[in-house]
Amino acid sequence: MEPFIIATGTMDSAQNTFIRVHTDAGFYGVGECSAFPMIVGETQDTCLVMAREFARLWKGQDALDIPARMQQLHSFTAGNTTIKSAFDIAMYDVAAKNAGLPLYQFLGGSRREVETDITIGIATPERMAAKAMVFKNNGATILKVKLGKNAAEDVERIRRIREAVGNEMKIRIDANQGWSFDDGVLALQGMKDLDVEFCEQPMRTWYDDRLPELMKLSPVKIMADESVYNHHDARRQINSGSCHYVNIKMAKSGGIYEAKQIHDECASKGIPCMMGGMLESRIALSAKLHFVYASPNIHFYDMDTCMLGHLEDPCIGGVSYNGYHLSIADTPGIGADADDDFLAKCERFSV
């Protein structure tokens, strides 16, 4: 992919793993995950190693008992939520195909309008403002801006972008844990007149205890991202007054099963959620759109992963973009698969 810069590093390729889980019913389920080592601590290689172990655990097991299958993985190893998410998605694909339903209908959901934001990576204020104008001219209405390198310059970045695009576009920011507490205060207070919708993860997770203090000082609302991997994290963040919103990502939660519990915990406390992601292809993105359709407490959509400079598309079927709006056909399961011609070029194995 084209190089993409955030506070924790630069990505020039997507470290994705694709799986097929075959059943004795004659069909298979598909799953995908995107390793993001600087955030979740997994690489493509670790995903492949753990995938072999997980596959051995599941041979001969009941593919429709998703809670039991996921508990097997959790009992085998802590963490490794990224590769677990690929297995989870494959199980939901199997279950929905077995029921003959699109996944969102299997989950009890219905279609709705989904418009994604589009992300601007870290660069000079001038270049970021120019990129914002390109997106605006292409029809985008919501910008997500990566920050976290330098607090004072971050304020200038947002000021220049706001001046360029005017007042109509929504601007949300993501510091990716890049600020200290003092930097966060400086940056967020410096943006009080720039109409910023919210800030994702301003500080490292080890400063979570200072988030309530930052919340009181910030004129910008705070969204928890890396601070929330599961519904227990969500409960702690919400009960301690540490966030206004929560970003749900399959690679953090371990897939749809836990993501639903995060969603429901937040909904019970009146905390809206966002559907986010790493660098997944349209395969995992399809699963995420189905989950959004079935999750009424998801109010924000950061689902531009395939628009961030991917130079190849390994997916057949699946999500389609109409500008910045997402939709998917009503085919059983997640409705996406990998192109076998693409897979022929990849390292692969069977268990």
Side-chain angles (χ1 to χ4, degrees):
M1 60 179 292
E2 296 171 1
F4 186 74
I5 301 173
I6 65 174
T8 50
T10 300
M11 303 293 288
D12 58 11
S13 62
Q15 298 188 41
N16 293 9
T17 300
F18 171 75
I19 67 169
R20 286 176 175 152
V21 176
H22 296 265
T23 71
D24 60 6
F27 61 89
Y28 59 79
V30 305
E32 183 204 13
C33 63
S34 182
F36 224 87
M38 67 276 289
I39 292 179
V40 183
E42 296 173 73
T43 68
Q44 191 175 61
D45 286 341
T46 68
C47 286
L48 292 171
V49 169
M50 296 309 298
R52 289 180 174 91
E53 301 292 341
F54 292 170
R56 294 187 185 102
L57 291 172
W58 277 6
K59 289 193 74 171
Q61 301 293 315
D62 180 0
L64 298 180
D65 191 346
I66 295 173
R69 296 293 70 75
M70 294 309 297
Q71 187 56 53
Q72 271 187 294
L73 305 190
H74 297 323
S75 297
F76 179 76
T77 183
N80 293 277
T81 54
T82 299
I83 187 58
K84 284 176 180 176
S85 72
F87 279 73
D88 168 283
I89 289 168
M91 284 292 92
Y92 276 94
D93 191 31
V94 166
K97 285 175 177 173
N98 184 68
L101 296 171
L103 178 57
Y104 76 88
Q105 291 183 9
F106 176 78
L107 295 172
S110 58
R111 289 178 173 275
R112 56 189 164 106
E113 183 86 357
V114 175
E115 180 184 4
T116 183
D117 58 25
I118 185 70
T119 305
I120 300 175
I122 297 175
T124 65
E126 295 78 15
R127 289 178 62 187
M128 292 173 75
K131 191 70 171 178
M133 283 304 300
V134 170
F135 289 144
K136 181 180 180 180
N137 292 335
N138 286 341
T141 65
I142 312 165
L143 295 175
K144 176 175 173 176
V145 183
K146 294 290 189 178
L147 302 174
K149 287 284 191 181
N150 178 293
E153 192 171 17
D154 285 341
V155 176
E156 179 65 9
R157 289 180 169 104
I158 299 304
R159 186 185 68 79
R160 294 291 291 269
I161 291 170
R162 177 57 78 197
E163 287 177 352
V165 301
N167 296 324
E168 299 82 14
M169 294 191 81
K170 291 181 179 178
I171 296 176
R172 52 188 62 157
I173 62 176
D174 184 1
N176 278 118
Q177 307 183 75
W179 294 326
S180 66
F181 177 85
D182 290 340
D183 284 343
V185 172
L186 180 121
L188 295 170
Q189 289 187 348
M191 298 177 196
K192 64 179 180 180
D193 297 322
L194 298 177
D195 193 20
V196 174
E197 188 176 21
F198 56 76
C199 173
E200 281 186 65
Q201 200 67 34
M203 303 181 294
R204 286 280 182 181
T205 57
W206 51 68
Y207 293 128
D208 280 355
D209 61 317
R210 302 204 69 183
L211 279 170
E213 185 182 359
L214 183 63
M215 292 262 287
K216 293 176 182 176
L217 295 172
S218 173
V220 177
K221 291 188 175 181
I222 304 298
M223 175 178 283
D225 183 358
E226 289 89 349
S227 293
V228 173
Y229 274 61
N230 55 51
H231 70 284
H232 298 296
D233 294 336
R235 172 177 47 79
R236 286 195 298 266
Q237 291 297 105
I238 295 167
N239 289 350
S240 63
S242 297
C243 64
H244 298 95
Y245 310 126
V246 168
N247 188 1
I248 299 174
K249 294 177 178 174
M250 299 300 177
K252 292 186 303 169
S253 71
I256 293 169
Y257 184 72
E258 179 64 31
K260 176 69 164 58
Q261 295 180 76
I262 298 170
H263 169 274
D264 292 351
E265 177 69 24
C266 291
S268 72
K269 304 287 178 59
I271 300 294
C273 297
M274 180 161 77
M275 185 77 254
M278 300 304 193
L279 293 172
E280 299 92 344
S281 79
R282 290 189 304 110
I283 299 167
L285 181 66
S286 298
K288 290 193 287 185
L289 182 59
H290 284 287
F291 179 70
V292 164
Y293 285 160
S295 304
N297 193 47
I298 295 179
H299 294 190
F300 312 107
Y301 316 109
D302 180 30
M303 302 174 69
D304 61 345
T305 173
C306 305
M307 306 170 81
L308 297 178
H310 283 202
L311 300 178
E312 284 194 87
D313 181 2
C315 180
I316 56 175
V319 165
S320 60
Y321 287 101
N322 178 14
Y324 298 91
H325 297 260
L326 285 73
S327 63
I328 196 165
D330 276 341
T331 53
I334 69 169
D337 203 343
D339 184 336
D340 285 329
D341 289 338
F342 182 90
L343 293 182
K345 301 180 292 182
C346 299
E347 177 187 358
R348 50 186 173 163
F349 58 86
S350 298
V351 173

